[in-house]
Structures are given as structure tokens and as C-alpha cells.
Amino acid sequence: MPGCGTLPTKRCEDFKQSMKPRVAERAVACLNALNQAQRCDPNRLELCGHTALMNACSIVEPPPEADAGPDEVGAHCTSILHECEGVSSGPSMHDCRTTLAGMSVLGRDRMVACMKTHCTDKGLLFCEAQVDLK
């Protein structure tokens, strides 16, 4: 089976940049456990990141000094929900908070930027841990 190019490597690097360290470790471990066919499936790669973020609350993570507090997470989620207003499949405040809780400041900023243009067509799952939005 031919390789799938740089996609798995890129997602691995995205996870490392946009997630808190221990959350990223889980996402990368998931990627490393995939077989060749699974590594070529973008949806399977996204699932590794999503699962790590949804389990972020169970990971005890010491907060970095520059990390955002709950008020910033709430502000980001309010912005995302505003962008998704009227979208029937838009995220809930709970889903947004859970997702952003496992992200670095860069990851949170990128999530807000991504949701501004992709709330209606891609949504929260696509925008998780996206560093390069091109």
C-alpha cells in the first residue's frame, strides 16, 4: 500500500502545538498505534485528537503560567457559539469547554479562527487541533 504522504506527521505536529502536553501525548500515542491504512484515513487521525481532548478532564495537568484560565475558555466558547448561532448542528457550551480545556493557548486561538469560517461546513471536530488552516 502506498504511503499517505505527510498527513500523519502533520497531524502529530499539530497535536503537539495545539494541545496541552499530556493531552498531546495521548493523541500521538493513538496515532502511533494505528496501522498503515488507518494512518491514511483523515477521519481516523481526527478521532485520535478528539478522543484525547474529550478525555482531557481525566488528565491531571499542571497549568502553565501563561495558560488561559476558565474565564478565557468561557470567552472563547461564547465567541464560537456566537459564530455558530442558528446552525442546528452547532456545538454546545459543554462540548466547547471540554474541547478547549485540553488545548494550549495557540490551540484555543486557532479553534476560534477555524470556527469563524467552518462552523457550518466542518464544525468543532474538524477544527480541533488545526494549526495550519490552509
Side-chain angles (χ1 to χ4, degrees):
M1 164 184 262
C4 36
T6 62
L7 181 62
T9 303
K10 183 189 177 325
R11 291 307 291 142
C12 180
E13 292 306 314
D14 286 350
F15 293 158
K16 289 177 184 178
Q17 289 182 39
S18 63
M19 295 177 180
K20 291 181 177 179
R22 291 189 183 155
V23 178
E25 283 177 21
R26 286 195 177 175
V28 171
C30 175
L31 290 179
N32 289 335
L34 299 177
N35 65 38
Q36 181 64 33
Q38 292 169 327
R39 286 182 185 185
C40 293
D41 179 358
N43 292 326
R44 187 64 185 95
L45 300 179
E46 299 306 326
L47 185 58
C48 282
H50 180 72
T51 301
L53 286 167
M54 293 301 102
N55 291 315
C57 290
S58 66
I59 301 170
V60 178
E61 187 83 50
E65 312 242 342
D67 197 9
D71 294 332
E72 188 169 334
V73 169
H76 280 312
C77 286
T78 299
S79 175
I80 287 171
L81 293 177
H82 178 73
E83 291 298 329
C84 297
E85 202 167 30
V87 177
S88 61
S89 61
S92 68
M93 180 61 86
H94 177 266
D95 290 343
C96 182
R97 283 185 167 279
T98 301
T99 301
L100 294 184
M103 293 186 157
S104 66
V105 174
L106 172 67
R108 291 177 186 137
D109 291 345
R110 294 299 177 141
M111 174 69 96
V112 171
C114 182
M115 289 299 286
K116 282 183 180 180
T117 56
H118 292 293
C119 186
T120 57
D121 64 338
K122 304 283 186 177
L124 201 61
L125 183 60
F126 171 82
C127 289
E128 288 175 349
Q130 293 287 341
V131 174
D132 184 10
L133 300 175
K134 292 179 184 176

